[in-house]
Amino acid sequence: MPDLRAHRLSVAPMMDWTDRHCRAFHRVLTRESLLYTEMVTTGAVLHGDRERLLGFDDVEHPVALQLGGSEPADLAAAAKIGADLGYDEINLNVGCPSDRVQSGRFGACLMREPALVAEGMAAIGAAVSIPATVKCRIGVDDQDPEESLFTLVDLCAQAGVTTFIVHARKAWLKGLSPKENRDVPPLDYGLVHRLKRERPGLNIEINGGIGSLDEAEHQLTHTDGVMLGRAAYHTPGILGQADRRIFGAGADVDPFEAVKLYKPYIAGQLARGVHLAGITRHMLGLFHGAPGARTWRRILTVESVKPGADLSVVDRALAAVSGLKDQRSAGRLEAGEAA
């Protein structure tokens, strides 16, 4: 098996999910993985509230800014703003299939305009010195994926792009909802593996349907990187093993330690007036599959939305989980003694 430590693991940008609080939480679980912002349109970057849309905490590094857009000059200007703010990478979204994205001429519909994507990436590359990458699908609608994917990659590579994150599914822009587009189109990992074999000089990262670190390790025998999406969000505890298993760096971070490490960040955000529920919603899946997971979720969900909710809510939830864990351990010990 090849040395996986030279590879990359990242957590996918997910609209309404991977905000700054989510990223700070994921960072206490993994120091090495690359984190992404939610997709931000070039118009929002250029004309919106930059602190609200682009603000991030230093603890999040390394963190990439994902842009949505198609106009090269706007992409270049937005990328420069991101680089000046301290982001470690600029990524262009050529994969999101939502109706809103299509109406704005960005996201997955750009798979039909590979020359425009390449022009935009050239503009970004000329504007910033940090890495500029592309996240795409293998094709859309009736496109032949072997043609659409390779054409997009080759044109962008000619424009200077060296890293591509490929969601190994088509996107159906008509007939499927964004949610259905995450599951219904069949996965074609083999095509992404072939892309890496036939373009060995490029960094090819695979995304789509990868639900565990076991699966990620398998994919890393064929590609340069793996991007985890919903698995990282709904079962974030798996990220606590990522640094050891994928990068060969550091010890595992268990869920209890993760909460301890995250509490100073929570306290700082509460002091700034952030509501607790906006922070703890990203922690609900931390104890997935463990004794007390349901209690943990219930306390955080019910108590965090109350006026004045503070760190004591997290402490109560953690104490409940710890108590159930101790009861389970004691039960096993007593059973063993009886045997």
Side-chain angles (χ1 to χ4, degrees), residues 13 57-58 73 111-112 127 131 137 150 167 185 190 221-222 231 241 243 253 268 281 308 317 324 335:
D57 194 287
D58 283 345
M111 292 294 301
R112 291 201 180 107
R137 293 275 182 143
F150 279 75
H167 186 148
T221 64
H222 300 283
Q241 302 176 29
D243 289 358
V253 178
R281 69 187 183 100
L324 288 171

mmCIF file of all heavy atoms in Angstrom, residues 13 57-58 73 111-112 127 131 137 150 167 185 190 221-222 231 241 243 253 268 281 308 317 324 335:
data_model
loop_
_atom_site.group_PDB
_atom_site.id
_atom_site.type_symbol
_atom_site.label_atom_id
_atom_site.label_comp_id
_atom_site.label_asym_id
_atom_site.label_seq_id
_atom_site.Cartn_x
_atom_site.Cartn_y
_atom_site.Cartn_z
ATOM 1 N N PRO A 13 -17.041 21.874 0.833
ATOM 2 C CA PRO A 13 -17.900 23.035 1.081
ATOM 3 C C PRO A 13 -19.358 22.619 0.949
ATOM 4 O O PRO A 13 -19.735 21.979 -0.025
ATOM 5 C CB PRO A 13 -17.495 24.011 -0.038
ATOM 6 C CG PRO A 13 -16.958 23.135 -1.126
ATOM 7 C CD PRO A 13 -16.340 21.952 -0.443
ATOM 8 N N ASP A 57 -11.672 32.558 11.558
ATOM 9 C CA ASP A 57 -10.772 32.597 12.698
ATOM 10 C C ASP A 57 -9.433 31.981 12.301
ATOM 11 O O ASP A 57 -9.379 31.027 11.513
ATOM 12 C CB ASP A 57 -11.395 31.811 13.865
ATOM 13 C CG ASP A 57 -10.696 32.077 15.180
ATOM 14 O OD1 ASP A 57 -9.554 31.583 15.359
ATOM 15 O OD2 ASP A 57 -11.286 32.754 16.034
ATOM 16 N N ASP A 58 -8.370 32.483 12.873
ATOM 17 C CA ASP A 58 -7.043 31.950 12.541
ATOM 18 C C ASP A 58 -6.916 30.465 12.825
ATOM 19 O O ASP A 58 -6.099 29.774 12.201
ATOM 20 C CB ASP A 58 -5.965 32.712 13.325
ATOM 21 C CG ASP A 58 -5.679 34.090 12.739
ATOM 22 O OD1 ASP A 58 -6.080 34.345 11.586
ATOM 23 O OD2 ASP A 58 -5.064 34.925 13.436
ATOM 24 N N ALA A 73 -13.026 38.688 -14.859
ATOM 25 C CA ALA A 73 -12.557 39.852 -14.099
ATOM 26 C C ALA A 73 -13.091 39.833 -12.677
ATOM 27 O O ALA A 73 -12.374 40.154 -11.713
ATOM 28 C CB ALA A 73 -12.966 41.135 -14.813
ATOM 29 N N MET A 111 -19.950 23.185 -16.641
ATOM 30 C CA MET A 111 -19.355 22.030 -17.304
ATOM 31 C C MET A 111 -19.575 22.118 -18.814
ATOM 32 O O MET A 111 -18.802 21.540 -19.587
ATOM 33 C CB MET A 111 -19.963 20.723 -16.779
ATOM 34 C CG MET A 111 -19.629 20.376 -15.338
ATOM 35 S SD MET A 111 -17.886 20.021 -15.008
ATOM 36 C CE MET A 111 -17.555 18.640 -16.092
ATOM 37 N N ARG A 112 -20.599 22.863 -19.238
ATOM 38 C CA ARG A 112 -20.875 23.029 -20.666
ATOM 39 C C ARG A 112 -20.022 24.134 -21.287
ATOM 40 O O ARG A 112 -20.048 24.309 -22.509
ATOM 41 C CB ARG A 112 -22.352 23.376 -20.873
ATOM 42 C CG ARG A 112 -23.324 22.254 -20.552
ATOM 43 C CD ARG A 112 -24.640 22.538 -21.265
ATOM 44 N NE ARG A 112 -25.624 21.516 -21.012
ATOM 45 C CZ ARG A 112 -26.684 21.671 -20.232
ATOM 46 N NH1 ARG A 112 -26.889 22.825 -19.611
ATOM 47 N NH2 ARG A 112 -27.562 20.699 -20.076
ATOM 48 N N ALA A 127 -4.083 36.680 -10.619
ATOM 49 C CA ALA A 127 -4.386 37.657 -9.573
ATOM 50 C C ALA A 127 -3.836 37.270 -8.209
ATOM 51 O O ALA A 127 -3.644 38.143 -7.347
ATOM 52 C CB ALA A 127 -5.902 37.838 -9.469
ATOM 53 N N PRO A 131 -2.627 28.725 -4.204
ATOM 54 C CA PRO A 131 -3.177 27.754 -5.161
ATOM 55 C C PRO A 131 -4.599 28.101 -5.596
ATOM 56 O O PRO A 131 -5.417 28.565 -4.801
ATOM 57 C CB PRO A 131 -3.147 26.438 -4.370
ATOM 58 C CG PRO A 131 -2.064 26.624 -3.365
ATOM 59 C CD PRO A 131 -2.119 28.068 -2.978
ATOM 60 N N ARG A 137 -18.004 18.326 -11.502
ATOM 61 C CA ARG A 137 -18.658 17.032 -11.698
ATOM 62 C C ARG A 137 -17.974 16.339 -12.890
ATOM 63 O O ARG A 137 -17.094 16.907 -13.531
ATOM 64 C CB ARG A 137 -20.143 17.233 -11.995
ATOM 65 C CG ARG A 137 -20.951 17.794 -10.830
ATOM 66 C CD ARG A 137 -21.411 16.705 -9.912
ATOM 67 N NE ARG A 137 -22.230 17.216 -8.815
ATOM 68 C CZ ARG A 137 -23.288 16.588 -8.314
ATOM 69 N NH1 ARG A 137 -23.675 15.421 -8.830
ATOM 70 N NH2 ARG A 137 -23.964 17.080 -7.294
ATOM 71 N N PHE A 150 -12.593 15.268 -19.217
ATOM 72 C CA PHE A 150 -11.229 15.433 -19.725
ATOM 73 C C PHE A 150 -11.056 16.777 -20.425
ATOM 74 O O PHE A 150 -9.998 17.402 -20.320
ATOM 75 C CB PHE A 150 -10.868 14.276 -20.655
ATOM 76 C CG PHE A 150 -10.428 13.032 -19.917
ATOM 77 C CD1 PHE A 150 -11.346 12.223 -19.256
ATOM 78 C CD2 PHE A 150 -9.088 12.675 -19.861
ATOM 79 C CE1 PHE A 150 -10.953 11.093 -18.574
ATOM 80 C CE2 PHE A 150 -8.679 11.540 -19.178
ATOM 81 C CZ PHE A 150 -9.617 10.738 -18.526
ATOM 82 N N HIS A 167 -16.228 15.470 -8.167
ATOM 83 C CA HIS A 167 -17.370 14.716 -7.646
ATOM 84 C C HIS A 167 -17.725 13.710 -8.728
ATOM 85 O O HIS A 167 -18.129 14.080 -9.826
ATOM 86 C CB HIS A 167 -18.541 15.665 -7.371
ATOM 87 C CG HIS A 167 -19.701 15.004 -6.699
ATOM 88 N ND1 HIS A 167 -20.523 15.668 -5.819
ATOM 89 C CD2 HIS A 167 -20.199 13.737 -6.759
ATOM 90 C CE1 HIS A 167 -21.466 14.846 -5.377
ATOM 91 N NE2 HIS A 167 -21.282 13.665 -5.939
ATOM 92 N N PRO A 185 -27.695 10.214 -9.421
ATOM 93 C CA PRO A 185 -26.776 9.862 -10.516
ATOM 94 C C PRO A 185 -25.724 8.868 -10.020
ATOM 95 O O PRO A 185 -25.166 9.047 -8.935
ATOM 96 C CB PRO A 185 -26.135 11.208 -10.885
ATOM 97 C CG PRO A 185 -27.110 12.241 -10.413
ATOM 98 C CD PRO A 185 -27.697 11.663 -9.158
ATOM 99 N N GLY A 190 -14.306 4.881 -11.260
ATOM 100 C CA GLY A 190 -13.327 4.398 -12.233
ATOM 101 C C GLY A 190 -12.887 5.480 -13.201
ATOM 102 O O GLY A 190 -11.716 5.521 -13.607
ATOM 103 N N THR A 221 -5.407 5.064 -2.808
ATOM 104 C CA THR A 221 -4.523 4.204 -3.588
ATOM 105 C C THR A 221 -4.660 4.487 -5.083
ATOM 106 O O THR A 221 -3.873 3.988 -5.881
ATOM 107 C CB THR A 221 -4.827 2.711 -3.321
ATOM 108 O OG1 THR A 221 -6.141 2.401 -3.773
ATOM 109 C CG2 THR A 221 -4.704 2.395 -1.836
ATOM 110 N N HIS A 222 -5.668 5.297 -5.451
ATOM 111 C CA HIS A 222 -5.911 5.619 -6.860
ATOM 112 C C HIS A 222 -5.799 7.112 -7.170
ATOM 113 O O HIS A 222 -5.622 7.487 -8.331
ATOM 114 C CB HIS A 222 -7.318 5.167 -7.264
ATOM 115 C CG HIS A 222 -7.567 3.701 -7.119
ATOM 116 N ND1 HIS A 222 -7.086 2.765 -8.018
ATOM 117 C CD2 HIS A 222 -8.240 2.996 -6.167
ATOM 118 C CE1 HIS A 222 -7.458 1.559 -7.635
ATOM 119 N NE2 HIS A 222 -8.162 1.666 -6.523
ATOM 120 N N ALA A 231 -20.448 12.790 5.294
ATOM 121 C CA ALA A 231 -19.915 11.923 6.353
ATOM 122 C C ALA A 231 -19.164 12.732 7.399
ATOM 123 O O ALA A 231 -19.268 12.476 8.601
ATOM 124 C CB ALA A 231 -18.998 10.861 5.753
ATOM 125 N N GLN A 241 -9.718 10.774 13.759
ATOM 126 C CA GLN A 241 -8.711 9.776 13.421
ATOM 127 C C GLN A 241 -7.932 10.123 12.161
ATOM 128 O O GLN A 241 -6.996 9.414 11.783
ATOM 129 C CB GLN A 241 -9.381 8.412 13.203
ATOM 130 C CG GLN A 241 -10.166 7.889 14.375
ATOM 131 C CD GLN A 241 -10.869 6.585 14.028
ATOM 132 O OE1 GLN A 241 -10.416 5.811 13.199
ATOM 133 N NE2 GLN A 241 -11.991 6.331 14.681
ATOM 134 N N ASP A 243 -5.834 12.582 11.181
ATOM 135 C CA ASP A 243 -4.425 12.977 11.175
ATOM 136 C C ASP A 243 -3.508 11.766 11.301
ATOM 137 O O ASP A 243 -2.478 11.673 10.630
ATOM 138 C CB ASP A 243 -4.149 13.968 12.315
ATOM 139 C CG ASP A 243 -4.781 15.324 12.059
ATOM 140 O OD1 ASP A 243 -5.394 15.516 10.992
ATOM 141 O OD2 ASP A 243 -4.668 16.200 12.935
ATOM 142 N N VAL A 253 -8.114 12.240 18.267
ATOM 143 C CA VAL A 253 -8.861 13.141 19.147
ATOM 144 C C VAL A 253 -10.240 12.509 19.354
ATOM 145 O O VAL A 253 -11.021 12.410 18.402
ATOM 146 C CB VAL A 253 -9.000 14.544 18.529
ATOM 147 C CG1 VAL A 253 -9.832 15.450 19.435
ATOM 148 C CG2 VAL A 253 -7.630 15.156 18.256
ATOM 149 N N GLY A 268 -15.515 32.342 23.311
ATOM 150 C CA GLY A 268 -15.162 33.573 22.610
ATOM 151 C C GLY A 268 -16.274 34.075 21.716
ATOM 152 O O GLY A 268 -16.545 35.282 21.641
ATOM 153 N N ARG A 281 -25.086 23.490 16.674
ATOM 154 C CA ARG A 281 -25.770 22.672 15.665
ATOM 155 C C ARG A 281 -24.786 21.820 14.863
ATOM 156 O O ARG A 281 -25.148 20.766 14.337
ATOM 157 C CB ARG A 281 -26.581 23.560 14.723
ATOM 158 C CG ARG A 281 -25.762 24.446 13.778
ATOM 159 C CD ARG A 281 -26.674 25.404 13.028
ATOM 160 N NE ARG A 281 -25.960 26.239 12.062
ATOM 161 C CZ ARG A 281 -25.925 25.982 10.749
ATOM 162 N NH1 ARG A 281 -26.559 24.927 10.255
ATOM 163 N NH2 ARG A 281 -25.265 26.779 9.934
ATOM 164 N N GLY A 308 -30.283 33.238 26.603
ATOM 165 C CA GLY A 308 -29.213 33.177 27.583
ATOM 166 C C GLY A 308 -28.445 31.871 27.617
ATOM 167 O O GLY A 308 -27.598 31.670 28.499
ATOM 168 N N ALA A 317 -24.778 18.532 28.583
ATOM 169 C CA ALA A 317 -24.878 17.495 27.554
ATOM 170 C C ALA A 317 -23.704 16.523 27.653
ATOM 171 O O ALA A 317 -23.882 15.300 27.554
ATOM 172 C CB ALA A 317 -24.927 18.137 26.171
ATOM 173 N N LEU A 324 -23.667 8.117 30.964
ATOM 174 C CA LEU A 324 -24.149 6.916 30.289
ATOM 175 C C LEU A 324 -22.993 6.021 29.866
ATOM 176 O O LEU A 324 -23.097 4.798 29.912
ATOM 177 C CB LEU A 324 -24.987 7.318 29.068
ATOM 178 C CG LEU A 324 -26.355 7.916 29.407
ATOM 179 C CD1 LEU A 324 -27.001 8.487 28.152
ATOM 180 C CD2 LEU A 324 -27.262 6.865 30.038
ATOM 181 N N ALA A 335 -20.744 -7.637 34.377
ATOM 182 C CA ALA A 335 -21.038 -8.856 33.614
ATOM 183 C C ALA A 335 -19.814 -9.739 33.538
ATOM 184 O O ALA A 335 -19.889 -10.974 33.658
ATOM 185 C CB ALA A 335 -21.545 -8.486 32.224
#
